[in-house]
Amino acid sequence: MAKTLEDKQYLIRFNCDKKSHLEVLNHDLCATDCPDKACTLFCPGEVYKWEGDRMFVGYEGCHECGSCRIGCPHENIKWEYPKGGHGVVFRLA
Amino acid sequence: MSEKFDVIVVGAGPAGTSCAYTAAQNGLKVLLIERGEYPGAKNVMGGILYRKQLEEIIPEFWKEAPIERPVVEQRFWFLDKESMVTTSYKGLDWGKEPFNNFTVLRAKFDKWFAEKAVEQGALLINETVVTECLVEDGKVIGVKTDRPDGDVYADVVVLADGVNSLLGKQLGFHKEWKPNEVALTVMEVLKIQKKVINERFNIKDDQGVSVEIFGDATQGILGTGFLYTNKDSVNIGVGTTLSGMVKKKLKPYELLERLKDHPMIQPYIEGAETQEYLAHLIPEGGYHAIPKLVGDGVLVVGDAAQFVNAIHREGSNMAMASGKMAAETIIEAKEIGDYSERTLDSYRTTIYDSFIGKDLKKYKEAAHTFEENPQYFQEYIPLMNEAMHTFFSVDGTPKREKQKKIMAKMTAGRGKLGLAKDMYKAWKAVK
Ligand SMILES: Cc1cc2nc3c(=O)[nH]c(=O)nc-3n(C[C@H](O)[C@H](O)[C@H](O)COP(=O)(O)OP(=O)(O)OC[C@H]3O[C@@H](n4cnc5c(N)ncnc54)[C@H](O)[C@@H]3O)c2cc1C
Ligand code: SF4
Ligand code: SF4
């Protein structure tokens, strides 16, 4: 049974686009006004990682759930759907 | 794509497909647009599909739909750390036609359902995102897609784009959902041999069990877990309001791991192999969060309209019913050739008069009550477990004394009046 998130993410098919469908608008805001960095906690794909002074966005592992758009306290994330046919693909089995 | 359609439906989930199916069946020219590789590729649910609403669209669908098992037993588990209080109902007639509900796997089910709409004459286009509604003089006249030359026109556009309805927001039908109006839920599909599932859940090949899990599953915050049996896998998941998750700084996948490791749950899934891990939001804002449903040339259905009854895990059925109602309204509008908000408004009144509006109204304070009063999840479930433990442990204490002790414990925190008030509040919230 998959235990770690890494193992779980590995089981999913992501048909990644070259371009990110997620964008953190203002990294300074994350640094100064968001002590908890909420998006790094609740995101089910651990797409957001705070690296020193910037938010790293691993959009390739995004489930497109929409939580970060709604849960970011500063509306600091530009959230779009990946291009048609791209992004997460849940399986038929 | 320069031709014009009667109806463009955005999103091939249960809501959009029902709408497309019904409209096409009645001779309308329908375009169904889906952003996934196939319908269902983006879609997630615990897996309980109620029979009634789909039967009204496709009679006896269970004879050919890819269903997993008809559910014959519904269990409710109130977890504490190392114990649980359980209740359940098992009815063997639920295992016979016409059944009560089924477990399904969404990717399979949605794909099948959309194919049925295509058989009725709807045109399905996958791998295409609708990026905005085309609006002229305040009237929706079509959609813009991310395809080259991707504008398409129709008399009516139906927004069936799910909980992340960017289109409803674009039209100003609703503002962004608040974190307490959505539940973030993660789940896994765990492969287990059919024989082993049957033994562990005490069922036969063609019988299924649903388990709703409260209490320790969500560390005391508003939310639930579930465990549903498929043919040769189980779906296990857990979710809480996004606001709860933020407040408690929880990681959803850690919550799920905790549930899987819980000593009461673990024996059911031991030795299983994870097939898939999925995450999705459930719109749980209820009655107060329902957005504007109708505009000139546009209707909103399903999750995009917040049609989910969290207490009864109903969502896909409401999606289907609303999709069908939308189609019926459009069929009438076509007869008189008028697609204005005034004419289409009968969809709104139909919704509010149906079980959807009535049930959402009935539970309109429920989520709110439980979120504002965490004692239900944090205190009463452990207390319930303790009470049972005390009452059923034979240690020489007379039963009357035990009952007294239990009552004293129950009221210690909030006082007798507080307890009574809480019970009354809970009753009012769900009555
Ligand atoms: C974990 C979980 C457990 C659940 N358990 C149950 C349950 O047991 N029983 C139950 O009845 N309900 C359950 N639900 C609720 C149920 O899944 C939803 O209510 C139901 O799927 C709503 O259907 P819908 O068609 O409105 O939306 P969706 O199923 O979300 O479909 C929306 C569709 O639109 C597409 N789309 C979105 N935007 C665009 C765009 N711009 N362009 C093109 N395509 C687009 C999406 O790809 C998707 O296919 C659960 C939900 C979750 C998340
Ligand atoms: S939640 Fe929003 S503001 Fe906070 S760290 Fe993430 S992106 Fe930045
Ligand atoms: S949409 Fe969901 S999965 Fe994707 S980055 Fe946001 S929170 Fe993470």
Side-chain angles (χ1 to χ4, degrees):
Chain A
M1 226 173 333
K3 284 267 152 209
T4 64
L5 181 66
E6 231 178 328
D7 289 346
K8 290 177 201 205
Q9 289 285 87
Y10 188 71
L11 295 168
I12 310 164
R13 184 147 76 87
F14 293 104
N15 181 13
C16 306
D17 193 0
K18 283 185 214 64
K19 189 177 151 282
S20 175
H21 62 286
L22 305 166
E23 190 192 337
V24 172
L25 298 170
N26 180 347
H27 293 258
D28 294 341
L29 196 67
C30 302
T32 54
D33 286 3
C34 195
D36 292 341
K37 314 261 184 297
C39 60
T40 64
L41 299 172
F42 63 66
C43 169
E46 219 169 46
V47 165
Y48 296 93
K49 291 210 173 97
W50 184 247
E51 296 189 340
D53 57 352
R54 272 186 79 79
M55 189 59 81
F56 176 79
V57 187
Y59 73 95
E60 296 91 343
C62 172
H63 287 241
E64 298 152 37
C65 71
S67 299
C68 53
R69 191 188 74 246
I70 299 169
C72 168
H74 300 290
E75 293 175 37
N76 197 19
I77 295 169
K78 183 163 160 245
W79 192 98
E80 285 170 348
Y81 287 120
K83 202 165 80 196
H86 290 72
V88 71
V89 188
F90 296 126
R91 284 180 304 164
L92 291 167
Chain B
M1 281 191 283
S2 58
E3 52 189 330
K4 187 176 160 217
F5 292 84
D6 292 318
V7 192
I8 295 173
V9 182
V10 186
T17 297
S18 306
C19 183
Y21 184 102
T22 310
Q25 189 182 37
N26 286 277
L28 268 56
K29 199 167 155 195
V30 181
L31 175 63
L32 177 58
I33 305 180
E34 168 57 44
R35 68 188 186 89
E37 203 173 292
Y38 43 78
K42 306 285 187 186
N43 301 348
V44 180
M45 79 182 198
I48 301 297
L49 177 74
Y50 289 90
R51 163 189 48 90
K52 180 84 174 115
Q53 284 72 37
L54 180 52
E55 190 186 21
E56 283 171 5
I57 299 163
I58 305 182
E60 302 195 329
F61 66 89
W62 55 85
K63 293 193 166 146
E64 55 164 314
I67 55 158
E68 292 294 313
R69 295 176 187 242
V71 174
V72 296
E73 185 176 357
Q74 305 197 164
R75 299 180 188 171
F76 300 86
W77 292 352
F78 299 88
L79 287 189
D80 200 356
K81 301 257 172 311
E82 288 197 308
S83 66
M84 63 182 178
V85 177
T86 70
T87 159
S88 72
Y89 174 77
K90 186 167 185 170
L92 291 181
D93 65 321
W94 281 352
K96 298 178 212 138
E97 286 195 324
F99 307 102
N100 180 41
N101 57 31
F102 307 93
T103 47
V104 299
L105 291 161
R106 279 293 296 273
K108 266 193 205 171
F109 175 82
D110 286 13
K111 188 160 185 283
W112 169 83
F113 192 26
E115 277 160 12
K116 299 306 285 183
V118 170
E119 277 174 28
Q120 294 297 326
L123 176 63
L124 168 67
I125 297 190
N126 292 314
E127 308 199 328
T128 306
V129 179
V130 171
T131 51
E132 61 182 272
C133 291
L134 297 169
V135 184
E136 204 177 84
D137 300 330
K139 187 180 170 311
V140 175
I141 55 163
V143 298
K144 186 181 264 321
T145 73
D146 67 350
R147 299 224 169 206
D149 301 319
D151 293 0
V152 212
Y153 298 89
D155 288 324
V156 184
V157 173
V158 177
L159 306 186
D161 50 347
V163 61
N164 290 304
S165 180
L166 301 183
L167 299 173
K169 231 171 70 179
Q170 180 222 332
L171 294 180
F173 281 20
H174 68 87
K175 294 206 183 66
E176 187 56 85
W177 310 129
K178 296 189 199 80
N180 64 1
E181 290 173 336
V182 291
L184 171 54
T185 307
V186 293
M187 60 178 274
E188 276 178 45
V189 182
L190 301 176
K191 180 129 187 106
I192 309 179
Q193 271 183 9
K194 190 185 263 174
K195 198 170 122 273
V196 177
I197 293 179
N198 294 353
E199 280 165 15
R200 288 182 187 173
F201 288 87
N202 190 23
I203 43 177
K204 298 201 168 83
D205 276 3
D206 51 359
Q207 299 178 327
V209 169
S210 69
V211 188
E212 311 302 324
I213 307 165
F214 305 92
D216 207 46
T218 53
Q219 310 202 332
I221 51 176
L222 175 63
T224 51
F226 58 84
L227 179 61
Y228 302 149
T229 57
N230 300 319
K231 279 200 181 95
D232 48 15
S233 62
V234 300
N235 290 353
I236 185 165
V238 61
T240 77
T241 53
L242 184 57
S243 50
M245 203 123 11
V246 170
K247 212 184 294 166
K248 296 265 169 151
K249 303 195 179 72
L250 295 174
K251 297 186 174 183
Y253 39 94
E254 287 179 5
L255 217 50
L256 182 57
E257 268 326 290
R258 262 183 51 117
L259 181 66
K260 284 164 64 189
D261 284 340
H262 193 285
M264 295 292 133
I265 309 286
Q266 201 271 339
Y268 288 88
I269 59 171
E270 203 171 358
E273 184 197 330
T274 308
Q275 277 190 310
E276 195 161 35
Y277 164 69
L278 312 92
H280 209 276
L281 286 178
I282 310 178
E284 294 194 353
Y287 193 76
H288 298 302
I290 297 174
K292 182 168 154 69
L293 297 175
V294 183
D296 280 328
V298 61
L299 298 170
V300 190
V301 297
D303 274 11
Q306 285 261 358
F307 296 155
V308 166
N309 180 346
I311 291 186
H312 291 266
R313 52 162 198 217
E314 290 180 44
S316 57
N317 62 327
M318 290 190 166
M320 288 177 184
S322 63
K324 182 167 181 277
M325 290 174 204
E328 285 161 356
T329 301
I330 297 165
I331 293 160
E332 282 168 21
K334 189 179 161 80
E335 277 164 17
I336 55 171
D338 177 4
Y339 306 96
S340 65
E341 178 169 345
R342 239 194 23 211
T343 304
L344 296 179
D345 196 56
S346 69
Y347 164 69
R348 187 182 56 81
T349 50
T350 311
I351 287 284
Y352 279 96
D353 285 343
S354 73
F355 79 101
I356 298 178
K358 287 185 178 151
D359 283 356
L360 291 180
K361 191 164 182 192
K362 171 164 151 45
Y363 291 117
K364 67 183 191 301
E365 304 305 340
H368 185 67
T369 300
F370 292 119
E371 174 147 45
E372 306 274 289
N373 298 275
Q375 66 268 28
Y376 292 104
F377 284 79
Q378 268 161 20
E379 292 165 31
Y380 291 144
I381 291 174
L383 269 175
M384 216 158 101
N385 275 269
E386 216 177 307
M388 291 291 184
H389 182 266
T390 307
F391 200 65
F392 294 124
S393 298
V394 174
D395 57 5
T397 318
K399 295 287 183 269
R400 184 183 291 279
E401 241 169 77
K402 287 195 168 187
Q403 274 173 324
K404 260 196 191 151
K405 264 195 199 153
I406 292 169
M407 206 51 210
K409 264 240 150 96
M410 286 274 202
T411 55
R414 300 255 306 144
K416 264 197 189 122
L417 188 63
L419 177 72
K421 270 191 192 154
D422 282 353
M423 293 303 144
Y424 177 68
K425 240 189 307 192
W427 168 244
K428 256 187 59 180
V430 300
K431 84 169 190 297

